[in-house]
mmCIF file of all heavy atoms in Angstrom:
data_model
loop_
_atom_site.group_PDB
_atom_site.id
_atom_site.type_symbol
_atom_site.label_atom_id
_atom_site.label_comp_id
_atom_site.label_asym_id
_atom_site.label_seq_id
_atom_site.Cartn_x
_atom_site.Cartn_y
_atom_site.Cartn_z
ATOM 1 N N ASN F 79 8.906 5.607 -10.073
ATOM 2 C CA ASN F 79 9.936 5.441 -9.045
ATOM 3 C C ASN F 79 10.898 6.624 -9.000
ATOM 4 O O ASN F 79 11.347 7.008 -7.918
ATOM 5 C CB ASN F 79 10.712 4.146 -9.268
ATOM 6 C CG ASN F 79 9.912 2.934 -8.871
ATOM 7 O OD1 ASN F 79 9.058 2.991 -7.999
ATOM 8 N ND2 ASN F 79 10.182 1.818 -9.517
ATOM 9 N N THR F 80 11.206 7.210 -10.144
ATOM 10 C CA THR F 80 12.130 8.347 -10.136
ATOM 11 C C THR F 80 11.498 9.593 -9.532
ATOM 12 O O THR F 80 12.209 10.442 -9.002
ATOM 13 C CB THR F 80 12.651 8.676 -11.551
ATOM 14 O OG1 THR F 80 11.561 9.040 -12.392
ATOM 15 C CG2 THR F 80 13.422 7.523 -12.138
ATOM 16 N N ARG F 81 10.172 9.691 -9.576
ATOM 17 C CA ARG F 81 9.481 10.864 -9.027
ATOM 18 C C ARG F 81 9.129 10.699 -7.552
ATOM 19 O O ARG F 81 8.898 11.688 -6.860
ATOM 20 C CB ARG F 81 8.214 11.149 -9.824
ATOM 21 C CG ARG F 81 8.485 11.665 -11.216
ATOM 22 C CD ARG F 81 7.230 12.163 -11.902
ATOM 23 N NE ARG F 81 6.140 11.213 -11.921
ATOM 24 C CZ ARG F 81 5.917 10.318 -12.879
ATOM 25 N NH1 ARG F 81 6.725 10.256 -13.905
ATOM 26 N NH2 ARG F 81 4.896 9.508 -12.819
ATOM 27 N N SER F 82 9.072 9.492 -7.052
ATOM 28 C CA SER F 82 8.659 9.261 -5.673
ATOM 29 C C SER F 82 9.875 9.185 -4.761
ATOM 30 O O SER F 82 10.821 8.436 -5.015
ATOM 31 C CB SER F 82 7.864 7.953 -5.577
ATOM 32 O OG SER F 82 7.528 7.702 -4.225
ATOM 33 N N LEU F 83 9.849 9.954 -3.697
ATOM 34 C CA LEU F 83 10.950 9.943 -2.737
ATOM 35 C C LEU F 83 10.824 8.816 -1.728
ATOM 36 O O LEU F 83 11.810 8.422 -1.120
ATOM 37 C CB LEU F 83 11.002 11.275 -1.988
ATOM 38 C CG LEU F 83 11.279 12.507 -2.837
ATOM 39 C CD1 LEU F 83 11.178 13.765 -1.993
ATOM 40 C CD2 LEU F 83 12.631 12.408 -3.500
ATOM 41 N N VAL F 84 9.620 8.296 -1.531
ATOM 42 C CA VAL F 84 9.378 7.342 -0.456
ATOM 43 C C VAL F 84 8.907 5.976 -0.954
ATOM 44 O O VAL F 84 9.392 4.950 -0.512
ATOM 45 C CB VAL F 84 8.335 7.911 0.544
ATOM 46 C CG1 VAL F 84 8.023 6.916 1.627
ATOM 47 C CG2 VAL F 84 8.830 9.212 1.144
ATOM 48 N N ALA F 85 7.982 5.973 -1.885
ATOM 49 C CA ALA F 85 7.362 4.717 -2.319
ATOM 50 C C ALA F 85 8.074 4.141 -3.538
ATOM 51 O O ALA F 85 8.650 4.866 -4.344
ATOM 52 C CB ALA F 85 5.888 4.955 -2.633
ATOM 53 N N ASN F 86 8.028 2.829 -3.659
ATOM 54 C CA ASN F 86 8.558 2.102 -4.811
ATOM 55 C C ASN F 86 7.407 1.381 -5.496
ATOM 56 O O ASN F 86 6.484 0.914 -4.828
ATOM 57 C CB ASN F 86 9.596 1.067 -4.367
ATOM 58 C CG ASN F 86 10.776 1.712 -3.705
ATOM 59 O OD1 ASN F 86 11.438 2.546 -4.302
ATOM 60 N ND2 ASN F 86 11.029 1.353 -2.463
ATOM 61 N N THR F 87 7.485 1.268 -6.813
ATOM 62 C CA THR F 87 6.461 0.532 -7.562
ATOM 63 C C THR F 87 7.129 -0.581 -8.347
ATOM 64 O O THR F 87 8.285 -0.455 -8.759
ATOM 65 C CB THR F 87 5.700 1.440 -8.542
ATOM 66 O OG1 THR F 87 6.618 1.999 -9.479
ATOM 67 C CG2 THR F 87 4.973 2.561 -7.821
ATOM 68 N N TRP F 88 6.391 -1.659 -8.545
ATOM 69 C CA TRP F 88 6.881 -2.743 -9.388
ATOM 70 C C TRP F 88 5.707 -3.579 -9.879
ATOM 71 O O TRP F 88 4.589 -3.474 -9.381
ATOM 72 C CB TRP F 88 7.916 -3.608 -8.669
ATOM 73 C CG TRP F 88 7.390 -4.463 -7.564
ATOM 74 C CD1 TRP F 88 6.834 -5.696 -7.675
ATOM 75 C CD2 TRP F 88 7.353 -4.166 -6.178
ATOM 76 N NE1 TRP F 88 6.458 -6.173 -6.445
ATOM 77 C CE2 TRP F 88 6.779 -5.254 -5.507
ATOM 78 C CE3 TRP F 88 7.757 -3.069 -5.422
ATOM 79 C CZ2 TRP F 88 6.579 -5.279 -4.119
ATOM 80 C CZ3 TRP F 88 7.571 -3.104 -4.053
ATOM 81 C CH2 TRP F 88 6.992 -4.196 -3.435
ATOM 82 N N TRP F 89 5.997 -4.407 -10.874
ATOM 83 C CA TRP F 89 5.042 -5.360 -11.418
ATOM 84 C C TRP F 89 5.420 -6.733 -10.890
ATOM 85 O O TRP F 89 6.601 -7.100 -10.852
ATOM 86 C CB TRP F 89 5.119 -5.360 -12.942
ATOM 87 C CG TRP F 89 4.229 -6.372 -13.588
ATOM 88 C CD1 TRP F 89 2.945 -6.168 -14.009
ATOM 89 C CD2 TRP F 89 4.527 -7.731 -13.886
ATOM 90 N NE1 TRP F 89 2.435 -7.314 -14.559
ATOM 91 C CE2 TRP F 89 3.399 -8.311 -14.476
ATOM 92 C CE3 TRP F 89 5.634 -8.541 -13.691
ATOM 93 C CZ2 TRP F 89 3.345 -9.622 -14.893
ATOM 94 C CZ3 TRP F 89 5.584 -9.862 -14.105
ATOM 95 C CH2 TRP F 89 4.442 -10.382 -14.701
ATOM 96 N N ASN F 90 4.414 -7.521 -10.462
ATOM 97 C CA ASN F 90 4.653 -8.892 -10.019
ATOM 98 C C ASN F 90 3.420 -9.729 -10.310
ATOM 99 O O ASN F 90 2.336 -9.440 -9.806
ATOM 100 C CB ASN F 90 4.964 -8.922 -8.518
ATOM 101 C CG ASN F 90 5.307 -10.307 -8.030
ATOM 102 O OD1 ASN F 90 6.177 -10.976 -8.585
ATOM 103 N ND2 ASN F 90 4.612 -10.752 -7.008
ATOM 104 N N GLU F 91 3.598 -10.738 -11.142
ATOM 105 C CA GLU F 91 2.536 -11.699 -11.447
ATOM 106 C C GLU F 91 1.197 -11.033 -11.759
ATOM 107 O O GLU F 91 0.157 -11.388 -11.212
ATOM 108 C CB GLU F 91 2.392 -12.700 -10.303
ATOM 109 C CG GLU F 91 3.633 -13.538 -10.097
ATOM 110 C CD GLU F 91 3.475 -14.580 -9.004
ATOM 111 O OE1 GLU F 91 2.365 -14.759 -8.481
ATOM 112 O OE2 GLU F 91 4.492 -15.216 -8.688
ATOM 113 N N GLY F 92 1.234 -10.049 -12.636
ATOM 114 C CA GLY F 92 0.018 -9.405 -13.105
ATOM 115 C C GLY F 92 -0.476 -8.249 -12.253
ATOM 116 O O GLY F 92 -1.511 -7.669 -12.551
ATOM 117 N N GLU F 93 0.248 -7.905 -11.202
ATOM 118 C CA GLU F 93 -0.185 -6.828 -10.313
ATOM 119 C C GLU F 93 0.862 -5.719 -10.267
ATOM 120 O O GLU F 93 2.060 -5.978 -10.289
ATOM 121 C CB GLU F 93 -0.399 -7.363 -8.891
ATOM 122 C CG GLU F 93 -1.456 -8.435 -8.810
ATOM 123 C CD GLU F 93 -1.609 -9.030 -7.426
ATOM 124 O OE1 GLU F 93 -0.694 -8.892 -6.576
ATOM 125 O OE2 GLU F 93 -2.654 -9.642 -7.194
ATOM 126 N N VAL F 94 0.372 -4.483 -10.201
ATOM 127 C CA VAL F 94 1.253 -3.341 -9.961
ATOM 128 C C VAL F 94 1.147 -3.029 -8.480
ATOM 129 O O VAL F 94 0.055 -2.774 -7.955
ATOM 130 C CB VAL F 94 0.859 -2.119 -10.819
ATOM 131 C CG1 VAL F 94 1.684 -0.904 -10.422
ATOM 132 C CG2 VAL F 94 1.041 -2.438 -12.294
ATOM 133 N N ILE F 95 2.301 -3.086 -7.811
ATOM 134 C CA ILE F 95 2.375 -2.918 -6.365
ATOM 135 C C ILE F 95 3.125 -1.629 -6.040
ATOM 136 O O ILE F 95 4.119 -1.307 -6.689
ATOM 137 C CB ILE F 95 3.134 -4.106 -5.712
ATOM 138 C CG1 ILE F 95 2.562 -5.452 -6.155
ATOM 139 C CG2 ILE F 95 3.198 -3.962 -4.208
ATOM 140 C CD1 ILE F 95 1.176 -5.737 -5.659
ATOM 141 N N VAL F 96 2.652 -0.932 -5.016
ATOM 142 C CA VAL F 96 3.334 0.241 -4.476
ATOM 143 C C VAL F 96 3.731 -0.117 -3.054
ATOM 144 O O VAL F 96 2.927 -0.696 -2.311
ATOM 145 C CB VAL F 96 2.423 1.483 -4.492
ATOM 146 C CG1 VAL F 96 3.165 2.705 -3.960
ATOM 147 C CG2 VAL F 96 1.878 1.747 -5.882
ATOM 148 N N GLU F 97 4.969 0.232 -2.650
ATOM 149 C CA GLU F 97 5.484 -0.236 -1.369
ATOM 150 C C GLU F 97 6.388 0.793 -0.712
ATOM 151 O O GLU F 97 7.048 1.574 -1.383
ATOM 152 C CB GLU F 97 6.266 -1.530 -1.626
ATOM 153 C CG GLU F 97 6.984 -2.115 -0.451
ATOM 154 C CD GLU F 97 8.433 -1.678 -0.314
ATOM 155 O OE1 GLU F 97 9.065 -1.309 -1.314
ATOM 156 O OE2 GLU F 97 8.920 -1.714 0.815
ATOM 157 N N CYS F 98 6.383 0.762 0.607
ATOM 158 C CA CYS F 98 7.322 1.536 1.422
ATOM 159 C C CYS F 98 7.663 0.668 2.635
ATOM 160 O O CYS F 98 6.765 0.095 3.257
ATOM 161 C CB CYS F 98 6.691 2.846 1.872
ATOM 162 S SG CYS F 98 7.729 3.817 2.973
ATOM 163 N N SER F 99 8.954 0.567 2.956
ATOM 164 C CA SER F 99 9.381 -0.244 4.093
ATOM 165 C C SER F 99 9.974 0.646 5.178
ATOM 166 O O SER F 99 10.616 1.657 4.882
ATOM 167 C CB SER F 99 10.445 -1.261 3.665
ATOM 168 O OG SER F 99 9.893 -2.180 2.760
ATOM 169 N N LEU F 100 9.736 0.239 6.421
ATOM 170 C CA LEU F 100 10.271 0.948 7.580
ATOM 171 C C LEU F 100 11.006 -0.032 8.477
ATOM 172 O O LEU F 100 10.496 -1.128 8.743
ATOM 173 C CB LEU F 100 9.138 1.582 8.398
ATOM 174 C CG LEU F 100 8.239 2.603 7.722
ATOM 175 C CD1 LEU F 100 7.034 2.900 8.604
ATOM 176 C CD2 LEU F 100 9.005 3.880 7.451
ATOM 177 N N PHE F 101 12.190 0.344 8.968
ATOM 178 C CA PHE F 101 12.822 -0.445 10.011
ATOM 179 C C PHE F 101 11.980 -0.331 11.271
ATOM 180 O O PHE F 101 11.346 0.696 11.517
ATOM 181 C CB PHE F 101 14.242 0.070 10.296
ATOM 182 C CG PHE F 101 15.225 -0.258 9.224
ATOM 183 C CD1 PHE F 101 15.726 0.732 8.395
ATOM 184 C CD2 PHE F 101 15.653 -1.561 9.038
ATOM 185 C CE1 PHE F 101 16.640 0.428 7.402
ATOM 186 C CE2 PHE F 101 16.570 -1.880 8.038
ATOM 187 C CZ PHE F 101 17.055 -0.871 7.225
ATOM 188 N N ALA F 102 11.953 -1.377 12.078
ATOM 189 C CA ALA F 102 11.132 -1.395 13.295
ATOM 190 C C ALA F 102 11.401 -0.174 14.174
ATOM 191 O O ALA F 102 10.472 0.405 14.744
ATOM 192 C CB ALA F 102 11.381 -2.684 14.083
ATOM 193 N N GLU F 103 12.670 0.224 14.264
ATOM 194 C CA GLU F 103 13.038 1.359 15.111
ATOM 195 C C GLU F 103 12.419 2.670 14.642
ATOM 196 O O GLU F 103 12.284 3.611 15.417
ATOM 197 C CB GLU F 103 14.562 1.522 15.167
ATOM 198 C CG GLU F 103 15.289 0.365 15.802
ATOM 199 C CD GLU F 103 15.524 -0.808 14.845
ATOM 200 O OE1 GLU F 103 15.336 -0.677 13.603
ATOM 201 O OE2 GLU F 103 15.868 -1.889 15.349
ATOM 202 N N ALA F 104 12.049 2.743 13.372
ATOM 203 C CA ALA F 104 11.486 3.968 12.808
ATOM 204 C C ALA F 104 9.971 4.019 12.912
ATOM 205 O O ALA F 104 9.363 5.046 12.613
ATOM 206 C CB ALA F 104 11.897 4.108 11.352
ATOM 207 N N VAL F 105 9.344 2.921 13.323
ATOM 208 C CA VAL F 105 7.880 2.859 13.340
ATOM 209 C C VAL F 105 7.337 3.640 14.528
ATOM 210 O O VAL F 105 7.749 3.450 15.666
ATOM 211 C CB VAL F 105 7.383 1.400 13.392
ATOM 212 C CG1 VAL F 105 5.863 1.346 13.541
ATOM 213 C CG2 VAL F 105 7.825 0.648 12.152
ATOM 214 N N GLY F 106 6.424 4.513 14.223
ATOM 215 C CA GLY F 106 5.682 5.284 15.212
ATOM 216 C C GLY F 106 4.381 5.707 14.570
ATOM 217 O O GLY F 106 4.160 5.465 13.374
#
Side-chain angles (χ1 to χ4, degrees):
N79 285 331
T80 62
R81 290 190 307 270
S82 177
L83 297 175
V84 177
N86 298 302
T87 60
W88 70 85
W89 176 92
N90 184 52
E91 297 183 7
E93 299 176 342
V94 173
I95 308 292
V96 182
E97 175 267 335
C98 176
S99 295
L100 300 169
F101 287 109
E103 296 82 12
V105 175

